[in-house]
Amino acid sequence: MEAEPWILPEQDELSMTLHNSAVTMNSEEEFYDAETGLESGDDLSDVSFKDALVNDCKDSSNAIRPQDNGVWERRKTLPAPMISRSDYSVWGILKKCVGMDLSKITMPIVFNEPLSFLQRMSEYMQHTHLIHKACTLSDSIDRMQLFSCVISLCQVVAAFAVSSVASQLDRTGKPFNPLLGETYELTREDEGYRFITEQVSHHPPISAFHAQSLKQEFEFHGSIHPKLKFWGKSVEAEPKGTMTLELLKHKEAYTWTNPFCCVHNIIMGKLWIEQYGTVEIENHHTGDRCVLNFKPCGLFGKELHKVEGHIQDKSKKKRRVLYGKWTECMYSVDPKMYEASKNKGDAKIKTQQQCAGEETEGGPEVQETVAVIPGSALLWRIAPRPPDSEQMYNFTRFTMTLNELEPGMERLLAPTDCRLRPDIRAMENGDLDTAHVEKDRLEEKQRVGRKERSNAEEEWLTRWFQLGSNHHTGAQDWLYKGKYFDRNYTNCPNIY
């Protein structure tokens, strides 16, 4: 598929509005939820824990927006705190649903978080700095010391794949199910990308997304078909679908799938989350492969949140070992040093600080943080959440901004954008009654529309994506048609 022509910021009306009203940030002021110790030109084998950048996302008061100098600043909190769920029991709803697909079960709105699933998908982009880092790594012969630069790139991509699930820590609220035809766009000039996603199918629910670098450095796309099942005491989510990251400068494409996610203690006790399963990242240009094992909690919780894996070249020779926790950090080390450290037991814990949100009540106690093997390179480290995150659905700084309507944005958005959904907006504002009424109205409107199309024997036509084949895996996938940012919304459906 031919790439969509790039529109320079001054040619794109929404980009102009955001560019003129948003704070221009340098690389240490952006909305990163993660940190990395990799600098452009660094040899990975020489990077240590102390080299990690600390992006403090300098806070300022929410009460002064726009600021005195007239520059718009993205919000740092939500309009209202999280609605209490203490008076509601999910067991009364789920006790008849053991083993069933929960995507067809209506849940009380109080168990939601004020975001659409499409907005939650955009949280992949809060770690875009890792993709930018991969794009800057050179493939010249001078970089091929202990291992080739291709392997270095694969490590950063692996860190990005792990970091993309980190925002789910303690996020036990359910996002709103997207309506058929619903969309969400996210343009961040300060971070160098724009993102578009569309709900392309309702039964089964399928969401497709496409992200583009503003400097033509990368494209990131995929589709997700989430399958939720209730197993008595837990809810398991299987995010079916393939992620594809293309590094245009290096002419490389990486693909992978996401791990399983499970929310425990649905009936009683403190809710807690674990990720488990095997994630395989393949470089389709070189044949290199990264295998990451998200370990299940285990009987005594010793494996909770741990991730271990390795990178192998096309001859299946191990080049690097990766280890860490998806809730904390990821490291890379030479396989020989890894094996030697296991035999000697000389790995040391760099910090005694407990991982954020990991409490003893209701979930396994975390006995330690990551023990760092000598000679390891820090690939990625999670940044602290805002101090009021627990009262704001455990959102990250990045997530706090996703449903915000910035000045001038509403008249430029597609009429199907999530930010315009009245039920989500009402819940974000703390008005649960209005949110419930609007949610019922929207769902009934969707049912009526589906019945009318059925009676007229009409098929639903997607607006921005089309079903095709993934160019790298050959599997069926939803591909971006392009043209969204031309801002011609004349054929958009009226779904709200």
Side-chain angles (χ1 to χ4, degrees):
M1 182 180 68
E2 186 176 351
E4 177 186 0
W6 289 100
I7 303 173
L8 295 175
E10 57 269 21
Q11 296 173 313
D12 185 335
E13 191 174 1
L14 178 60
S15 294
M16 285 179 64
T17 300
L18 298 181
H19 179 75
N20 292 333
S21 60
V23 177
T24 302
M25 300 181 177
N26 60 37
S27 60
E28 294 192 17
E29 293 174 327
E30 296 175 340
F31 285 86
Y32 295 158
D33 184 49
E35 302 155 358
T36 176
L38 299 180
E39 289 303 296
S40 178
D42 284 341
D43 187 321
L44 288 178
S45 62
D46 293 332
V47 180
S48 64
F49 186 90
K50 67 178 184 298
D51 295 320
L53 289 176
V54 179
N55 298 319
D56 58 7
C57 298
K58 301 173 183 177
D59 285 329
S60 60
S61 172
N62 285 301
I64 309 174
R65 294 191 329 101
Q67 294 179 340
D68 294 338
N69 60 4
V71 178
W72 178 262
E73 181 185 7
R74 296 188 187 112
R75 68 186 184 186
K76 300 294 193 300
T77 187
L78 299 180
M82 176 179 170
I83 299 170
S84 174
R85 299 167 181 160
S86 58
D87 296 332
Y88 300 86
S89 172
V90 72
W91 173 240
I93 302 162
L94 295 180
K95 61 185 178 182
K96 297 181 181 180
C97 305
V98 177
M100 294 179 61
D101 183 353
L102 294 185
S103 64
K104 299 180 180 180
I105 305 300
T106 300
M107 298 287 290
I109 198 171
V110 72
F111 294 108
N112 283 22
E113 62 180 21
L115 289 177
S116 167
F117 181 72
L118 299 186
Q119 291 167 308
R120 199 160 191 181
M121 287 177 66
S122 73
E123 290 183 86
Y124 283 118
M125 305 310 296
Q126 67 184 306
H127 307 289
T128 309
H129 67 293
L130 290 171
I131 304 180
H132 290 312
K133 191 61 59 178
C135 293
T136 63
L137 294 175
S138 171
D139 61 352
S140 67
I141 193 65
D142 293 334
R143 295 288 293 159
M144 294 182 175
Q145 298 177 14
L146 180 60
F147 44 88
S148 72
C149 186
V150 172
I151 297 296
S152 303
L153 286 169
C154 196
Q155 290 181 86
V156 180
V157 174
F160 174 73
V162 174
S163 70
S164 64
V165 301
S167 64
Q168 297 184 34
L169 178 63
D170 288 331
R171 295 276 293 283
T172 54
K174 173 185 174 294
F176 282 71
N177 292 335
L179 302 169
L180 184 62
E182 186 175 311
T183 61
Y184 181 69
E185 69 165 276
L186 187 65
T187 299
R188 291 289 167 88
E189 291 188 2
D190 51 347
E191 297 173 29
Y193 68 83
R194 59 188 184 187
F195 172 96
I196 174 63
T197 178
E198 177 183 7
Q199 189 70 7
V200 295
S201 173
H202 186 62
H203 288 303
I206 302 176
S207 310
F209 74 91
H210 187 94
Q212 302 171 317
S213 163
L214 297 179
K215 295 182 179 179
Q216 304 188 48
E217 294 176 329
F218 68 85
E219 291 188 3
F220 178 44
H221 53 91
S223 57
I224 295 181
H225 170 202
K227 294 185 70 68
L228 305 177
K229 287 191 176 181
F230 176 55
W231 297 114
K233 295 182 179 180
S234 62
V235 172
E236 181 184 68
E238 179 186 3
K240 288 189 171 183
T242 299
M243 308 291 104
T244 301
L245 174 62
E246 300 180 42
L247 302 182
L248 305 181
K249 172 185 174 182
H250 299 283
K251 298 181 180 179
E252 292 179 345
Y254 300 81
T255 59
W256 69 90
T257 57
N258 289 314
F260 284 75
C261 178
C262 189
V263 180
H264 294 272
N265 289 349
I266 292 297
I267 300 175
M268 61 184 302
K270 179 179 173 63
L271 297 174
W272 60 279
I273 292 177
E274 69 169 328
Q275 309 261 3
Y276 51 83
T278 301
V279 173
E280 293 192 8
I281 306 171
E282 181 178 357
N283 183 328
H284 291 268
H285 178 69
T286 65
D288 300 320
R289 186 182 297 267
C290 176
V291 181
L292 295 171
N293 180 19
F294 286 71
K295 295 191 173 185
C297 176
L299 185 60
F300 300 105
K302 292 184 178 179
E303 303 297 303
L304 181 63
H305 304 326
K306 285 188 177 179
V307 182
E308 291 185 358
H310 65 273
I311 297 173
Q312 63 186 37
D313 58 25
K314 61 181 179 181
S315 64
K316 297 186 178 181
K317 178 182 178 181
K318 286 188 180 181
R319 305 298 296 272
R320 301 293 287 181
V321 171
L322 308 180
Y323 66 96
K325 290 184 179 181
W326 63 267
T327 58
E328 186 178 349
C329 56
M330 286 296 295
Y331 286 91
S332 167
V333 70
D334 180 84
K336 293 181 180 179
M337 298 185 72
Y338 178 79
E339 293 299 327
S341 179
K342 285 180 61 178
N343 296 332
K344 294 180 181 179
D346 58 353
K348 296 181 180 180
I349 298 174
K350 290 286 185 178
T351 176
Q352 298 296 329
Q353 184 179 358
Q354 195 176 46
C355 294
E358 293 180 344
E359 301 176 4
T360 59
E361 179 184 356
E365 182 179 1
V366 177
Q367 301 293 336
E368 61 181 22
T369 56
V370 176
V372 181
I373 298 170
S376 295
L378 176 65
L379 297 177
W380 165 80
R381 184 187 181 198
I382 197 168
R385 292 192 177 178
D388 58 350
S389 177
E390 189 174 346
Q391 289 76 46
M392 300 291 168
Y393 303 89
N394 287 299
F395 284 179
T396 65
R397 287 184 175 89
F398 179 91
T399 309
M400 297 278 194
T401 70
L402 294 181
N403 202 47
E404 183 177 22
L405 277 171
E406 298 181 21
M409 178 183 284
E410 186 170 357
R411 65 184 178 85
L412 297 170
L413 289 173
T416 51
D417 194 278
C418 303
R419 297 177 183 89
L420 306 179
R421 272 190 67 160
D423 51 352
I424 295 178
R425 183 63 59 189
M427 186 176 188
E428 182 184 80
N429 290 330
D431 187 349
L432 191 62
D433 291 338
T434 300
H436 179 75
V437 171
E438 287 294 336
K439 180 174 179 288
D440 287 348
R441 181 184 66 81
L442 293 175
E443 290 174 348
E444 178 60 24
K445 182 174 183 177
Q446 182 171 239
R447 283 190 287 269
V448 170
R450 184 168 62 248
K451 185 176 180 180
E452 290 176 349
R453 289 193 302 275
S454 177
N455 291 338
E457 298 183 348
E458 294 179 356
E459 293 289 333
W460 176 266
L461 298 177
T462 56
R463 185 69 175 86
W464 309 111
F465 291 82
Q466 62 186 2
L467 195 59
S469 296
N470 187 297
H471 303 311
H472 309 289
T473 66
Q476 191 177 68
D477 202 356
W478 286 90
L479 307 177
Y480 178 51
K481 296 180 183 179
K483 306 299 183 184
Y484 173 87
F485 292 97
D486 288 354
R487 309 225 170 266
N488 180 5
Y489 304 135
T490 54
N491 294 326
C492 285
N494 177 10
I495 59 176
Y496 301 146

